[in-house]
Amino acid sequence: MEVAPQLRPRAGLEVVAGDVGEAVPSYAQAFQVVVNIEVKPVATVPRRTPGASEEADRLWLEHARTAAVIDDEGCFLVRGADRDWVRVRRTAHTALSAALVPGAGSMVIAMSPDGRRLCALTEEDDDYWIVVHHFEDPLM
């Protein structure tokens, strides 16, 4: 199990053993939700302001917790190198903004372990966006 190359080691995530449930939407489905032209962020941070990446990480964590994307053990799913999702745990050094490639419109999508919710940190033009989505029904 390995996270996608852009997430290691910069994002400070610990890979955790465990299967990803079959009801979890694919990474492609989650990606389409986040890049949808109608998506509206729950929060934005201008990238040019001092401390922007730290503020984006703080807001991502706040919204990920509120949306129950992170479980009681600090775990969630991220894109894997060779598969759709890998289970990871937050550490004291977790900073998802460190995995974003400036100017590339990159993103990190975190999915709840049950596949019902996601919270993404994206780079959109001159801002960081935090996007939260709740899937209406689990996939069967």
Side-chain angles (χ1 to χ4, degrees):
M1 285 188 301
E2 203 173 309
V3 297
Q6 74 271 20
L7 290 175
R8 67 159 208 259
R10 296 177 290 191
L13 299 170
E14 173 190 351
V15 175
V16 178
D19 290 331
V20 174
E22 291 191 20
V24 174
S26 70
Y27 181 82
Q29 290 170 302
F31 179 84
Q32 287 302 315
V33 165
V34 174
V35 300
N36 183 318
I37 193 153
E38 295 179 12
V39 73
K40 296 194 181 351
V42 295
T44 61
V45 178
R47 289 189 305 128
R48 292 192 174 126
T49 60
S53 60
E54 292 84 0
E55 179 65 2
D57 286 323
R58 186 191 71 73
L59 286 169
W60 173 84
L61 180 59
E62 177 183 310
H63 287 283
R65 284 181 170 156
T66 300
V69 170
I70 302 171
D71 71 13
D72 293 341
E73 297 173 358
C75 295
F76 54 95
L77 308 175
V78 296
R79 181 179 172 202
D82 295 327
R83 57 164 102 178
D84 274 340
W85 298 107
V86 172
R87 187 176 176 88
V88 296
R89 178 179 291 123
R90 282 189 67 251
T91 70
H93 306 291
T94 297
L96 295 188
S97 64
L100 299 177
V101 179
S106 59
M107 69 184 69
V108 177
I109 301 173
M111 177 75 73
S112 62
D114 66 3
R116 300 292 306 270
R117 299 158 303 280
L118 68 76
C119 185
L121 175 59
T122 73
E123 181 189 79
E124 300 291 333
D125 300 319
D126 294 329
D127 297 321
Y128 291 114
W129 282 19
I130 289 74
V131 174
V132 173
H133 179 76
H134 297 262
F135 290 90
E136 297 298 315
D137 296 307
L139 301 176
M140 295 296 180

